[in-house]
Amino acid sequence: INFYGVSTHARYADLAYNYQAVDNYEPGTVVSFGGTREVTISTVSHDTTVAGVISTNPAHLMNGALRGANVVPLALQGRVPCLVRGPVNKGTLLVASDTPGVAQALDPNLYQPGCVIGKSLGTIANDSVQTIEVVVGRV
């Protein structure tokens, strides 16, 4: 079925693509390319193999026919909830942390091309892990 139209509106706010994952990860989990499938939970701070964040409810899902035990929608562009360890402010660049599946603020001294996931849309004042919205994709 093809759709041809002038415009569409979506309730949700991200564009996602289905990937085969090592496990069935919850929405908001940070994943990296690797493992025994296409993606696996991230565990390395400032990892350049970071793939992004598992989407909650994609507005548009590509590769939707992919089947398997652990198919996950990976947000490629837009805003999604994400597990983040603070402190962060709105607009903070986010990268993978050494806490499995959790993002953290970028340390400019550890920056490498490809390590940035997105930007924070929320604030976390302490070092707790919370779910906040982030913008993924072009940052």
Side-chain angles (χ1 to χ4, degrees), residues 5-74:
V6 176
S7 69
T8 62
H9 297 272
R11 172 181 288 173
Y12 304 109
D14 70 297
L15 166 69
Y17 189 94
N18 274 339
Y19 283 89
Q20 291 282 347
V22 171
D23 203 352
N24 188 17
Y25 303 118
E26 294 295 318
T29 303
V30 177
V31 295
S32 295
F33 293 109
T36 56
R37 298 292 183 112
E38 294 174 315
V39 294
T40 188
I41 196 164
S42 67
T43 59
V44 176
S45 178
H46 293 73
D47 188 359
T48 59
T49 67
V50 70
V53 181
I54 302 301
S55 178
T56 304
N57 290 304
H60 182 76
L61 180 64
M62 296 184 294
N63 201 23
L66 183 64
R67 299 289 178 252
N70 298 308
V71 174
V72 295
L74 180 69

Side-chain angles (χ1 to χ4, degrees), residues 37-123:
R37 298 292 183 112
E38 294 174 315
V39 294
T40 188
I41 196 164
S42 67
T43 59
V44 176
S45 178
H46 293 73
D47 188 359
T48 59
T49 67
V50 70
V53 181
I54 302 301
S55 178
T56 304
N57 290 304
H60 182 76
L61 180 64
M62 296 184 294
N63 201 23
L66 183 64
R67 299 289 178 252
N70 298 308
V71 174
V72 295
L74 180 69
L76 302 175
Q77 188 74 40
R79 57 191 293 172
V80 292
C82 180
L83 291 165
V84 178
R85 182 177 65 220
V88 297
N89 294 308
K90 290 179 183 174
T92 298
L93 288 171
L94 299 173
V95 297
S97 73
D98 56 7
T99 302
V102 176
Q104 68 180 15
L106 168 73
D107 177 342
N109 296 318
L110 299 176
Y111 172 79
Q112 297 180 69
C115 74
V116 175
I117 298 167
K119 289 184 181 177
S120 170
L121 284 174
T123 300

